[in-house]
Amino acid sequence: MKRIGMLTSGGDCQALNAAMRGIIKCMENSGEQLEIYGFLNGYQGLIYSKFRMLTGRDFSGILTMGGTILGTSRTPFKTIKDPDENGLNKVEAMKQNYYKLQLDCLVVLGGNGTHKTANLLREEGLNVITLPKTIDNDLWGTDMTFGFQSAVDIATACIDMIHTTASSHGRVFIVEVMGHKVGWLTLNAGMAGGADIILIPEIPYDLDNIIEALEHREKSGKHFTIIAAAEGAISKECAKMSKKEYKKYLEKRKYPSVSYEIAAQIGERTGHEVRVTVPGHTQRGGSPCPYDRVFASRLGAEAGQLILKGEYGFMVGYRNREIVKVPLEEVAGKLKEVSPDATIVKEAKALGISFGD
Ligand code: F6P
């Protein structure tokens, strides 16, 4: 008999349900008796003891379902050790609820922030297993996170659709892609969608270079340009600022995001008609793509096997085409960024894509 607590935390993404289904299916198929406690809305459920008892049947028919059957929320790691508004020690509360339910382990599906808290709970003595989810693909210790490929598909479809209207009107279009502080999603969707310019946080841009790339296209008879800009894209001037200065700059900025700022600057400098499209949270929505269904199911099956063996303290990740277990202490607190020297960046440049650098 295994008593398992499970939660999904942070921004949702596709294939969370597929991953949970994978864990439970694998364990049920082994013949192990299970008691499954599904904590609701991320760590909030564990802190305040809000859970649903689940059975294998709850995991049937959810392979293709987006979102998470458990609900999710953001519980920032920065304040996890601070008491809540009623003076409750949140870390102690999580531990007490874990012990009260006599759990064998806690399975946590999440991204960066979620992994910091998961690692803290491990340090506090809980048996923790995690799975890497996020459309940003920015989790250290794994080449891939589930949700990422589905989001690449959606952002690419958006760029594809913009292509035809941009071409008809001879306009410059900026498609703003999610990804928080990293450029994986923009880089991949940008390349897949045939973007002419790709702007990512790891490679600060110079407006002059963006304009040069636009004019170059214009001169070669291409009267429209597609720019895929990460929501975290940053200019060279801003990249030189301290964190505090940049924060102040953003507070004063009159545009809702970097794409609108670049659009206004290009318009002023060149007279081009520029439009911005922001697919936003659609990138996290809907059904997981086939890749993510398979990938999340594989991670789930491996996690299930670790739990059956009583091996805890790992994230189940993916490295060099193999599913691997990565110690949580290696994962927590690190960001996997796009290296400006990565071969994919060099290849994109070889294809003529400008990064504005
Ligand atoms: O981390 C996933 C993500 O979608 C990021 O790409 C984005 O910056 C952020 O979450 C948006 O967060 P929220 O859903 O809280 O607005």
Side-chain angles (χ1 to χ4, degrees):
M1 156 74 96
K2 290 272 185 202
R3 298 162 76 96
I4 301 166
M6 188 143 65
L7 63 87
T8 54
S9 172
D12 73 343
C13 70
Q14 302 88 343
L16 279 162
N17 291 325
M20 292 191 278
R21 170 185 174 273
I23 301 168
I24 300 306
K25 267 198 177 289
C26 159
M27 296 188 70
E28 281 208 317
N29 281 332
S30 76
E32 181 76 49
Q33 289 292 308
L34 299 179
E35 244 176 43
I36 311 162
Y37 298 78
F39 292 104
L40 305 178
N41 303 325
Y43 287 116
Q44 296 298 311
L46 182 57
I47 296 169
Y48 300 107
S49 194
K50 297 265 189 289
F51 60 85
R52 262 175 63 200
M53 294 299 301
L54 302 166
T55 68
R57 296 192 114 203
D58 293 300
F59 297 88
S60 276
I62 64 168
L63 172 65
T64 63
M65 199 191 280
T68 158
I69 58 167
L70 296 180
T72 187
S73 66
R74 295 193 186 275
T75 307
F77 177 74
K78 225 171 32 184
T79 53
I80 198 75
K81 290 183 183 164
D82 299 349
D84 78 354
E85 58 279 14
N86 299 313
L88 180 80
N89 180 325
K90 296 185 291 247
V91 178
E92 278 309 310
M94 288 194 274
K95 284 166 64 182
Q96 275 171 26
N97 287 326
Y98 176 97
Y99 289 121
K100 209 161 44 188
L101 297 171
Q102 297 180 301
L103 297 181
D104 288 300
C105 76
L106 180 69
V107 183
V108 176
L109 292 81
N112 266 308
T114 301
H115 273 79
K116 291 187 206 164
T117 301
N119 188 45
L120 173 68
L121 294 175
R122 179 197 63 81
E123 286 167 353
E124 292 286 325
L126 307 195
N127 293 330
V128 182
I129 284 285
T130 69
L131 293 185
K133 71 89 228 195
T134 166
I135 64 164
D136 303 338
N137 194 27
D138 59 352
L139 207 52
W140 184 267
T142 184
D143 298 342
M144 184 64 76
T145 56
F146 61 84
F148 175 68
Q149 286 298 340
S150 302
V152 169
D153 284 3
I154 295 167
T156 303
C158 175
I159 297 173
D160 287 349
M161 281 191 265
I162 290 301
H163 240 113
T164 55
T165 175
S167 155
S168 312
H169 285 265
R171 283 172 170 162
V172 175
F173 259 90
I174 305 180
V175 178
E176 183 171 292
V177 180
M178 272 190 173
H180 201 218
K181 292 180 180 163
V182 304
W184 294 109
L185 191 50
T186 309
L187 177 57
N188 282 270
M191 283 182 80
D196 310 295
I197 301 173
I198 295 179
L199 306 176
I200 60 173
E202 296 91 335
I203 306 179
Y205 65 83
D206 184 329
L207 191 66
D208 289 342
N209 296 334
I210 297 177
I211 289 171
E212 197 183 300
L214 289 176
E215 301 303 359
H216 179 73
R217 276 181 64 76
E218 198 64 41
K219 276 187 204 131
S220 53
K222 294 168 183 163
H223 303 300
F224 73 96
T225 296
I226 306 280
I227 304 176
E231 61 180 353
I234 187 166
S235 68
K236 284 191 173 171
E237 302 91 78
C238 288
K240 282 188 203 134
M241 293 177 188
S242 68
K243 256 192 180 176
K244 210 167 150 192
E245 285 168 338
Y246 186 51
K247 206 172 154 207
K248 261 197 190 158
Y249 174 85
L250 291 183
E251 277 163 14
K252 283 199 194 137
R253 185 165 71 184
K254 58 181 179 184
Y255 304 103
S257 72
V258 65
S259 300
Y260 288 93
E261 183 178 36
I262 298 170
Q265 290 167 336
I266 295 174
E268 273 164 29
R269 291 264 303 266
T270 67
H272 277 299
E273 244 190 323
V274 192
R275 295 285 187 271
V276 175
T277 295
V278 183
H281 287 76
T282 63
Q283 292 162 97
R284 276 184 6 206
S287 192
C289 67
Y291 178 94
D292 273 336
R293 295 179 199 183
V294 175
F295 182 46
S297 300
R298 288 183 64 192
L299 294 175
E302 295 286 344
Q305 289 174 67
L306 286 184
I307 299 167
L308 289 168
K309 286 188 277 188
E311 285 189 45
Y312 304 118
F314 296 104
M315 174 184 81
V316 183
Y318 188 67
R319 275 179 180 165
N320 304 321
R321 296 173 168 262
E322 296 284 341
I323 307 278
V324 291
K325 50 181 197 189
V326 189
L328 274 177
E329 60 267 36
E330 273 182 31
V331 177
K334 292 186 212 147
L335 203 61
K336 185 184 71 195
E337 297 177 309
V338 177
S339 160
D341 299 322
T343 50
I344 185 171
V345 174
K346 289 183 185 149
E347 288 142 9
K349 286 184 175 175
L351 294 171
I353 296 170
S354 165
F355 285 75
D357 59 336

